[in-house]
Amino acid sequence: MEEMVYDVHYLTDEPIDHVKNWLASHCEGKWNLELDGMNEDYSKINIKVKFERESDIVKLCELSSQARYQH
């Protein structure tokens, strides 16, 4: 069993449930999501995501790209 050794800090204005659902549908390995604070004007949340597989980090970057085009 592999451990979740890949950490990413992700700043987003997306609802945390949206991020969780997206990761659940797109990641191949295990992941864990933690709220790690907010920016100064409370418009974005900082999320710490730990991944089992390094390849799933790229998928989180895809979510970030999609979010920019929807706003």
Side-chain angles (χ1 to χ4, degrees), residues 27-53:
C27 291
E28 296 176 17
K30 294 179 183 178
W31 54 271
N32 182 27
L33 185 141
E34 299 173 13
L35 181 60
D36 196 33
M38 300 185 89
N39 68 346
E40 290 181 10
D41 67 358
Y42 301 102
S43 62
K44 295 187 180 196
I45 55 174
N46 190 23
I47 298 170
K48 181 178 181 180
V49 186
K50 291 184 178 182
F51 293 99
E52 176 183 39
R53 296 182 180 189

mmCIF file of all heavy atoms in Angstrom, residues 27-53:
data_model
loop_
_atom_site.group_PDB
_atom_site.id
_atom_site.type_symbol
_atom_site.label_atom_id
_atom_site.label_comp_id
_atom_site.label_asym_id
_atom_site.label_seq_id
_atom_site.Cartn_x
_atom_site.Cartn_y
_atom_site.Cartn_z
ATOM 1 N N CYS A 27 -9.343 11.272 -10.003
ATOM 2 C CA CYS A 27 -8.061 10.748 -9.517
ATOM 3 C C CYS A 27 -8.066 9.225 -9.503
ATOM 4 O O CYS A 27 -9.070 8.596 -9.194
ATOM 5 C CB CYS A 27 -7.772 11.268 -8.116
ATOM 6 S SG CYS A 27 -7.415 13.029 -8.092
ATOM 7 N N GLU A 28 -6.927 8.669 -9.844
ATOM 8 C CA GLU A 28 -6.783 7.208 -9.865
ATOM 9 C C GLU A 28 -6.352 6.658 -8.510
ATOM 10 O O GLU A 28 -6.710 5.550 -8.149
ATOM 11 C CB GLU A 28 -5.782 6.810 -10.934
ATOM 12 C CG GLU A 28 -6.256 7.160 -12.336
ATOM 13 C CD GLU A 28 -5.212 6.859 -13.391
ATOM 14 O OE1 GLU A 28 -4.264 6.104 -13.118
ATOM 15 O OE2 GLU A 28 -5.355 7.401 -14.494
ATOM 16 N N GLY A 29 -5.570 7.425 -7.770
ATOM 17 C CA GLY A 29 -5.093 6.983 -6.465
ATOM 18 C C GLY A 29 -5.879 7.618 -5.339
ATOM 19 O O GLY A 29 -6.830 8.373 -5.543
ATOM 20 N N LYS A 30 -5.449 7.327 -4.126
ATOM 21 C CA LYS A 30 -6.083 7.920 -2.950
ATOM 22 C C LYS A 30 -5.640 9.366 -2.808
ATOM 23 O O LYS A 30 -4.574 9.754 -3.280
ATOM 24 C CB LYS A 30 -5.686 7.146 -1.698
ATOM 25 C CG LYS A 30 -6.221 5.741 -1.680
ATOM 26 C CD LYS A 30 -5.773 5.039 -0.430
ATOM 27 C CE LYS A 30 -6.264 3.594 -0.444
ATOM 28 N NZ LYS A 30 -5.798 2.856 0.733
ATOM 29 N N TRP A 31 -6.460 10.151 -2.158
ATOM 30 C CA TRP A 31 -6.151 11.550 -1.886
ATOM 31 C C TRP A 31 -6.828 11.957 -0.589
ATOM 32 O O TRP A 31 -7.759 11.304 -0.123
ATOM 33 C CB TRP A 31 -6.604 12.446 -3.046
ATOM 34 C CG TRP A 31 -8.042 12.269 -3.416
ATOM 35 C CD1 TRP A 31 -8.538 11.381 -4.322
ATOM 36 C CD2 TRP A 31 -9.165 12.947 -2.867
ATOM 37 N NE1 TRP A 31 -9.902 11.476 -4.378
ATOM 38 C CE2 TRP A 31 -10.309 12.442 -3.486
ATOM 39 C CE3 TRP A 31 -9.302 13.937 -1.914
ATOM 40 C CZ2 TRP A 31 -11.583 12.880 -3.174
ATOM 41 C CZ3 TRP A 31 -10.577 14.386 -1.600
ATOM 42 C CH2 TRP A 31 -11.694 13.852 -2.234
ATOM 43 N N ASN A 32 -6.345 13.042 -0.007
ATOM 44 C CA ASN A 32 -6.909 13.587 1.223
ATOM 45 C C ASN A 32 -6.912 15.102 1.094
ATOM 46 O O ASN A 32 -5.922 15.692 0.660
ATOM 47 C CB ASN A 32 -6.069 13.148 2.425
ATOM 48 C CG ASN A 32 -6.635 13.654 3.731
ATOM 49 O OD1 ASN A 32 -7.829 13.888 3.864
ATOM 50 N ND2 ASN A 32 -5.771 13.827 4.706
ATOM 51 N N LEU A 33 -7.992 15.725 1.472
ATOM 52 C CA LEU A 33 -8.146 17.167 1.318
ATOM 53 C C LEU A 33 -8.341 17.805 2.693
ATOM 54 O O LEU A 33 -9.135 17.320 3.487
ATOM 55 C CB LEU A 33 -9.362 17.420 0.426
ATOM 56 C CG LEU A 33 -9.658 18.838 0.034
ATOM 57 C CD1 LEU A 33 -10.134 18.876 -1.408
ATOM 58 C CD2 LEU A 33 -10.692 19.421 0.940
ATOM 59 N N GLU A 34 -7.592 18.887 2.958
ATOM 60 C CA GLU A 34 -7.715 19.618 4.217
ATOM 61 C C GLU A 34 -7.859 21.107 3.922
ATOM 62 O O GLU A 34 -7.160 21.637 3.059
ATOM 63 C CB GLU A 34 -6.453 19.461 5.066
ATOM 64 C CG GLU A 34 -6.112 18.062 5.461
ATOM 65 C CD GLU A 34 -4.752 17.988 6.155
ATOM 66 O OE1 GLU A 34 -4.199 19.053 6.536
ATOM 67 O OE2 GLU A 34 -4.243 16.884 6.302
ATOM 68 N N LEU A 35 -8.730 21.776 4.646
ATOM 69 C CA LEU A 35 -8.830 23.226 4.556
ATOM 70 C C LEU A 35 -7.624 23.809 5.269
ATOM 71 O O LEU A 35 -7.320 23.436 6.401
ATOM 72 C CB LEU A 35 -10.126 23.720 5.201
ATOM 73 C CG LEU A 35 -10.382 25.210 5.153
ATOM 74 C CD1 LEU A 35 -10.453 25.687 3.701
ATOM 75 C CD2 LEU A 35 -11.660 25.556 5.884
ATOM 76 N N ASP A 36 -6.906 24.709 4.592
ATOM 77 C CA ASP A 36 -5.657 25.248 5.141
ATOM 78 C C ASP A 36 -5.693 26.772 5.243
ATOM 79 O O ASP A 36 -4.668 27.425 5.188
ATOM 80 C CB ASP A 36 -4.486 24.778 4.269
ATOM 81 C CG ASP A 36 -3.144 24.945 4.938
ATOM 82 O OD1 ASP A 36 -3.089 24.815 6.176
ATOM 83 O OD2 ASP A 36 -2.156 25.216 4.232
ATOM 84 N N GLY A 37 -6.892 27.348 5.342
ATOM 85 C CA GLY A 37 -7.011 28.788 5.532
ATOM 86 C C GLY A 37 -7.719 29.486 4.385
ATOM 87 O O GLY A 37 -8.215 28.858 3.460
ATOM 88 N N MET A 38 -7.733 30.812 4.482
ATOM 89 C CA MET A 38 -8.387 31.645 3.470
ATOM 90 C C MET A 38 -7.489 32.831 3.167
ATOM 91 O O MET A 38 -6.628 33.193 3.970
ATOM 92 C CB MET A 38 -9.741 32.132 3.976
ATOM 93 C CG MET A 38 -10.691 31.006 4.310
ATOM 94 S SD MET A 38 -12.310 31.601 4.775
ATOM 95 C CE MET A 38 -13.068 31.648 3.173
ATOM 96 N N ASN A 39 -7.730 33.453 2.010
ATOM 97 C CA ASN A 39 -6.966 34.663 1.706
ATOM 98 C C ASN A 39 -7.512 35.822 2.541
ATOM 99 O O ASN A 39 -8.509 35.680 3.252
ATOM 100 C CB ASN A 39 -6.946 34.954 0.204
ATOM 101 C CG ASN A 39 -8.284 35.359 -0.348
ATOM 102 O OD1 ASN A 39 -9.324 35.198 0.272
ATOM 103 N ND2 ASN A 39 -8.282 35.886 -1.557
ATOM 104 N N GLU A 40 -6.866 36.979 2.453
ATOM 105 C CA GLU A 40 -7.188 38.095 3.342
ATOM 106 C C GLU A 40 -8.614 38.620 3.209
ATOM 107 O O GLU A 40 -9.211 39.042 4.184
ATOM 108 C CB GLU A 40 -6.200 39.238 3.119
ATOM 109 C CG GLU A 40 -4.817 38.897 3.619
ATOM 110 C CD GLU A 40 -3.831 40.035 3.436
ATOM 111 O OE1 GLU A 40 -4.252 41.163 3.098
ATOM 112 O OE2 GLU A 40 -2.638 39.782 3.629
ATOM 113 N N ASP A 41 -9.179 38.603 2.011
ATOM 114 C CA ASP A 41 -10.547 39.126 1.859
ATOM 115 C C ASP A 41 -11.604 38.012 1.852
ATOM 116 O O ASP A 41 -12.753 38.247 1.521
ATOM 117 C CB ASP A 41 -10.661 40.005 0.614
ATOM 118 C CG ASP A 41 -10.494 39.229 -0.690
ATOM 119 O OD1 ASP A 41 -10.244 38.004 -0.652
ATOM 120 O OD2 ASP A 41 -10.604 39.864 -1.749
ATOM 121 N N TYR A 42 -11.200 36.813 2.214
ATOM 122 C CA TYR A 42 -12.098 35.658 2.347
ATOM 123 C C TYR A 42 -12.783 35.255 1.046
ATOM 124 O O TYR A 42 -13.809 34.590 1.064
ATOM 125 C CB TYR A 42 -13.166 35.903 3.425
ATOM 126 C CG TYR A 42 -12.581 36.178 4.780
ATOM 127 C CD1 TYR A 42 -12.516 37.465 5.281
ATOM 128 C CD2 TYR A 42 -12.064 35.143 5.548
ATOM 129 C CE1 TYR A 42 -11.965 37.727 6.524
ATOM 130 C CE2 TYR A 42 -11.501 35.389 6.795
ATOM 131 C CZ TYR A 42 -11.461 36.691 7.272
ATOM 132 O OH TYR A 42 -10.912 36.936 8.490
ATOM 133 N N SER A 43 -12.214 35.631 -0.083
ATOM 134 C CA SER A 43 -12.824 35.280 -1.367
ATOM 135 C C SER A 43 -12.324 33.936 -1.892
ATOM 136 O O SER A 43 -12.932 33.367 -2.787
ATOM 137 C CB SER A 43 -12.551 36.370 -2.402
ATOM 138 O OG SER A 43 -11.160 36.484 -2.631
ATOM 139 N N LYS A 44 -11.220 33.451 -1.348
ATOM 140 C CA LYS A 44 -10.664 32.170 -1.795
ATOM 141 C C LYS A 44 -10.235 31.348 -0.585
ATOM 142 O O LYS A 44 -9.860 31.890 0.445
ATOM 143 C CB LYS A 44 -9.462 32.393 -2.709
ATOM 144 C CG LYS A 44 -9.838 33.072 -4.003
ATOM 145 C CD LYS A 44 -8.678 33.121 -4.947
ATOM 146 C CE LYS A 44 -9.148 33.821 -6.229
ATOM 147 N NZ LYS A 44 -8.256 33.601 -7.322
ATOM 148 N N ILE A 45 -10.297 30.031 -0.761
ATOM 149 C CA ILE A 45 -9.843 29.126 0.289
ATOM 150 C C ILE A 45 -8.544 28.457 -0.160
ATOM 151 O O ILE A 45 -8.326 28.218 -1.345
ATOM 152 C CB ILE A 45 -10.903 28.053 0.624
ATOM 153 C CG1 ILE A 45 -11.326 27.264 -0.609
ATOM 154 C CG2 ILE A 45 -12.089 28.666 1.317
ATOM 155 C CD1 ILE A 45 -12.251 26.095 -0.318
ATOM 156 N N ASN A 46 -7.688 28.207 0.810
ATOM 157 C CA ASN A 46 -6.460 27.481 0.551
ATOM 158 C C ASN A 46 -6.678 26.047 1.010
ATOM 159 O O ASN A 46 -7.026 25.808 2.166
ATOM 160 C CB ASN A 46 -5.285 28.118 1.303
ATOM 161 C CG ASN A 46 -3.957 27.534 0.878
ATOM 162 O OD1 ASN A 46 -3.827 26.988 -0.204
ATOM 163 N ND2 ASN A 46 -2.973 27.651 1.735
ATOM 164 N N ILE A 47 -6.501 25.118 0.092
ATOM 165 C CA ILE A 47 -6.724 23.707 0.364
ATOM 166 C C ILE A 47 -5.384 22.989 0.247
ATOM 167 O O ILE A 47 -4.612 23.238 -0.671
ATOM 168 C CB ILE A 47 -7.712 23.103 -0.657
ATOM 169 C CG1 ILE A 47 -9.065 23.799 -0.561
ATOM 170 C CG2 ILE A 47 -7.858 21.609 -0.452
ATOM 171 C CD1 ILE A 47 -10.021 23.438 -1.678
ATOM 172 N N LYS A 48 -5.119 22.091 1.172
ATOM 173 C CA LYS A 48 -3.953 21.224 1.077
ATOM 174 C C LYS A 48 -4.458 19.853 0.644
ATOM 175 O O LYS A 48 -5.320 19.265 1.305
ATOM 176 C CB LYS A 48 -3.233 21.122 2.417
ATOM 177 C CG LYS A 48 -1.992 20.259 2.368
ATOM 178 C CD LYS A 48 -1.298 20.246 3.721
ATOM 179 C CE LYS A 48 -0.060 19.414 3.693
ATOM 180 N NZ LYS A 48 0.611 19.392 5.004
ATOM 181 N N VAL A 49 -3.943 19.373 -0.476
ATOM 182 C CA VAL A 49 -4.349 18.073 -0.988
ATOM 183 C C VAL A 49 -3.124 17.164 -0.977
ATOM 184 O O VAL A 49 -2.068 17.531 -1.479
ATOM 185 C CB VAL A 49 -4.908 18.164 -2.426
ATOM 186 C CG1 VAL A 49 -5.450 16.817 -2.870
ATOM 187 C CG2 VAL A 49 -5.997 19.217 -2.521
ATOM 188 N N LYS A 50 -3.280 15.990 -0.386
ATOM 189 C CA LYS A 50 -2.222 14.987 -0.398
ATOM 190 C C LYS A 50 -2.651 13.878 -1.361
ATOM 191 O O LYS A 50 -3.810 13.447 -1.344
ATOM 192 C CB LYS A 50 -2.010 14.391 0.986
ATOM 193 C CG LYS A 50 -1.424 15.362 1.968
ATOM 194 C CD LYS A 50 -1.166 14.660 3.285
ATOM 195 C CE LYS A 50 -0.526 15.608 4.265
ATOM 196 N NZ LYS A 50 -0.215 14.934 5.528
ATOM 197 N N PHE A 51 -1.714 13.464 -2.191
ATOM 198 C CA PHE A 51 -1.997 12.436 -3.180
ATOM 199 C C PHE A 51 -1.128 11.208 -2.970
ATOM 200 O O PHE A 51 0.027 11.318 -2.569
ATOM 201 C CB PHE A 51 -1.702 12.964 -4.597
ATOM 202 C CG PHE A 51 -2.623 14.063 -5.032
ATOM 203 C CD1 PHE A 51 -2.227 15.384 -4.944
ATOM 204 C CD2 PHE A 51 -3.871 13.779 -5.546
ATOM 205 C CE1 PHE A 51 -3.055 16.412 -5.362
ATOM 206 C CE2 PHE A 51 -4.723 14.796 -5.966
ATOM 207 C CZ PHE A 51 -4.304 16.111 -5.863
ATOM 208 N N GLU A 52 -1.685 10.073 -3.300
ATOM 209 C CA GLU A 52 -0.938 8.821 -3.314
ATOM 210 C C GLU A 52 -0.082 8.743 -4.579
ATOM 211 O O GLU A 52 1.041 8.260 -4.549
ATOM 212 C CB GLU A 52 -1.922 7.655 -3.284
ATOM 213 C CG GLU A 52 -1.305 6.290 -3.396
ATOM 214 C CD GLU A 52 -2.345 5.196 -3.442
ATOM 215 O OE1 GLU A 52 -3.397 5.376 -4.081
ATOM 216 O OE2 GLU A 52 -2.091 4.150 -2.828
ATOM 217 N N ARG A 53 -0.619 9.244 -5.687
ATOM 218 C CA ARG A 53 0.066 9.165 -6.981
ATOM 219 C C ARG A 53 0.428 10.560 -7.485
ATOM 220 O O ARG A 53 -0.402 11.453 -7.524
ATOM 221 C CB ARG A 53 -0.826 8.496 -8.020
ATOM 222 C CG ARG A 53 -1.133 7.072 -7.691
ATOM 223 C CD ARG A 53 -1.975 6.470 -8.769
ATOM 224 N NE ARG A 53 -2.279 5.097 -8.450
ATOM 225 C CZ ARG A 53 -2.852 4.275 -9.277
ATOM 226 N NH1 ARG A 53 -3.219 4.693 -10.477
ATOM 227 N NH2 ARG A 53 -3.085 3.029 -8.920
#
